[in-house]
């Protein structure tokens, strides 16, 4: 089942940031997926040449509707095409869902830590939306690192008033005036408050560029989190 | 017939004879792992090989470094679809560790610091096709790439080349490892595109 390439037609495109896009596709026969999973997208050129990249699912399963979040990488082969060139109504191919490890099952009720760097927020947004949709009693603590205020994805979902969702934003280059810290990379002090609310078995999901994930996962272990509870997804 | 991705041109076509299906070449060295990177000092490092009868061999870091070393240049293929050509490694061929073992086992479970495991046919570790590698491009292997030492089995997808390797367990039955239990292919041949269950 999971190895089948399916036709996926672009239904909607919304700008999240200057170079980040939400793309909604219609994928007849899509088998559904779990929050945190990803899929493969395949593009085909006129001469038959194909390119495949992985993209995380940005929203919980919803019939044949599949939402992605794509950050256009300058000079990239696939992401700028998906972000800005693929016409609405045109098709690509998709295969999935993939990845059965970076997944929030929704089964437990313990608090959960989410740490996102840039577009690494995409699979975590799926978890946040799934928690809200299912009414799970787990409290979510999200630490979200972005370059500046104009780089925030999913404002409506993440900044929405919710007693079970606590969001802290770390600006790495430019912070808004009301920010309570200087711009810079995630430090142990940023993780101390959210990890203090966790239970020993609470899972932590860390997603973003490799350097970010390496650094945050090391900090979490340094703060005493059991490495077996820290799940990582690296975008490149 | 539906035509896909109108207007997509893609980059210059890669060297087809070196690039397995569905892969793209990269100059970067991306990292795939499941959790935090273990930091294992060489003084605490050891490698054990255990047969199905319980016979155990053990090497410390210094013991491993005294074994015959080999330099090898390999193409790497990761299931996340990147391939990297001409990577330069130094290490000890697995043949050296497995020489003259009394065993009827046909399978191996590789165990790493941090709890990662992967399974391979024993035959794939023999014949100069697999190494315990400790040096990459002339430098000690960095922790995020599996240092101080990792398994290197370049003819299979890279998740089989377990980072932070600490033990090889020879088994008479096939025991799926970490990724193999959650959906990845049992064997993982990039040229046959054995990515997931059912490929
Ligand atoms: C499990 C997983 C989930 C992911 N989820 C997401 C997601 O939700 N959203 C998201 O945006 N991304 C995600 N990614 C990353 C995504 O798969 C792509 O890696 C990313 O979109 C870049 O692809 P690209 O084809 O645009 O860039 P590539 O062409 O792959 O290039 C990447 C970078 O390398 C440079 N480069 C590489 N080779 C060359 C070359 N030959 N010539 C010139 N420049 C080159 C490019 O300039 C660019 O900066 C995920 C990755 C993984 C593994």
């Amino acid at each position: 089942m999971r190895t089948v390439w399916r036709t996926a037609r672009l239904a909607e495109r919304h700008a999240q940031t200057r170079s980040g896009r939400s793309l909604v596709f219609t994928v007849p026969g899509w088998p559904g997926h779990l929050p945190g999973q990803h899929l493969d997208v395949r593009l085909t050129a006129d001469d038959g040449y194909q390119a495949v990249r992985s993209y995380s699912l940005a929203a919980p399963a919803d019939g044949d509707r599949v939402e992605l979040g794509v950050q256009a990488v300058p000079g990239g082969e696939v992401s700028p095409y998906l972000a800005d060139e693929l016409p609405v109504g045109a098709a690509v191919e998709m295969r999935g869902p993939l990845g059965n490890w970076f997944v929030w099952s929704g089964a437990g009720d313990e608090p959960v830590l989410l740490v996102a760097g840039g577009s690494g927020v995409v699979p975590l947004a799926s978890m946040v939306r799934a928690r809200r949709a299912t009414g799970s009693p787990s409290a979510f603590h999200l630490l979200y690192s972005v370059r500046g205020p104009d780089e925030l994805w999913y404002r409506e979902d993440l900044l929405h008033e919710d007693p079970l969702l606590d969001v802290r934003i770390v600006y790495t280059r430019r912070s808004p005036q009301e920010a309570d810290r200087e711009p810079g990379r995630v430090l142990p002090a940023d993780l101390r408050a959210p990890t203090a609310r966790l239970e020993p078995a609470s899972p932590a999901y860390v997603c973003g560029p490799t350097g970010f994930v390496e650094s945050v996962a090391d900090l979490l272990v340094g703060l005493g989190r059991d490495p077996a509870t820290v799940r990582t997804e690296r975008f490149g | 017939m539906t035509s896909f991705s109108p207007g997509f041109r893609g980059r210059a076509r890669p060297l087809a004879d070196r690039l397995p299906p569905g892969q793209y070449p990269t100059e970067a060295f991306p990292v795939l792992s499941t959790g935090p990177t273990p930091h294992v000092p060489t003084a605490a490092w050891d490698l054990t090989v255990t047969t199905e009868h319980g016979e155990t061999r053990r090497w410390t870091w210094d013991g491993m470094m005294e074994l015959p070393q080999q330099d090898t240049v390999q193409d790497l293929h990761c299931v996340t679809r990147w391939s990297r050509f001409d990577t330069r490694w130094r290490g000890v061929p697995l043949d050296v560790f497995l020489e003259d073992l009394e065993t009827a086992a046909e399978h191996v479970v590789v165990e790493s610091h941090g709890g990662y495991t992967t399974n391979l046919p024993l035959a794939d570790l023999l014949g100069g096709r697999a190494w315990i590698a400790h040096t990459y491009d002339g430098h000690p292997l960095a922790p995020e790439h599996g240092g101080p030492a990792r398994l290197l089995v370049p003819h299979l997808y890279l998740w089989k080349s377990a980072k932070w390797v600490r033990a090889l367990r020879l088994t008479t039955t096939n025991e799926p490892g970490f990724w193999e239990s959650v959906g990845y292919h049992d064997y993982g041949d990039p040229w046959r595109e054995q990515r997931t269950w059912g490929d």
Side-chain angles (χ1 to χ4, degrees), chain B residues 107-109 111 117-120 169-178 180-181 186:
Chain B
H107 310 273
V108 179
V109 177
E111 301 177 343
T117 59
T118 188
N119 58 303
L120 304 102
R169 198 155 51 74
L170 277 56
T171 58
T172 49
T173 54
N174 185 33
E175 298 177 23
F178 178 87
E180 293 84 358
S181 312
D186 197 60

Side-chain angles (χ1 to χ4, degrees), chain A residues 103-159:
Chain A
V103 160
W104 179 65
S105 71
D109 58 2
E110 67 279 339
V112 171
L113 177 66
L114 309 175
V115 190
S119 53
V121 73
V122 174
L124 306 184
S126 180
M127 297 183 193
V128 166
R129 291 163 160 179
R131 190 205 57 75
R132 198 168 281 151
T134 59
S136 151
S138 286
F140 274 29
H141 301 275
L142 169 66
L143 187 76
Y144 180 13
S145 161
V146 288
R147 262 183 257 166
D150 49 346
E151 299 275 332
L152 277 182
W153 293 56
Y154 308 122
R155 284 163 191 273
E156 280 171 32
D157 290 278
L158 301 182
L159 306 179

Side-chain angles (χ1 to χ4, degrees), chain B residues 34-54:
Chain B
T34 59
T37 294
H39 295 272
V40 185
T42 53
W45 186 91
D46 67 0
L47 179 74
T48 58
V49 173
T50 312
T51 68
E52 76 278 20
H53 312 297

Side-chain angles (χ1 to χ4, degrees), chain A residues 21 36-40 51-58 68-82 98 119-123 153-154 207 233-236, chain B residues 11-12 24-28 31-32 80-82 184:
Chain A
R21 304 284 180 266
Q37 286 191 299
H38 62 273
L39 48 67
D40 281 347
V52 181
R53 295 291 186 279
S54 298
Y55 292 94
S56 302
L57 289 142
L68 307 183
V70 176
Q71 172 72 43
V73 175
E77 184 171 37
V78 170
S79 59
Y81 174 83
L82 288 177
L98 302 169
S119 53
V121 73
V122 174
W153 293 56
Y154 308 122
C207 185
E233 184 96 288
R234 291 156 165 102
F235 275 8
Chain B
R11 280 214 188 95
Y24 66 92
T26 177
E27 296 284 305
V31 173
L32 170 71
T80 60
R81 300 197 176 270
W82 57 267
Y184 280 35

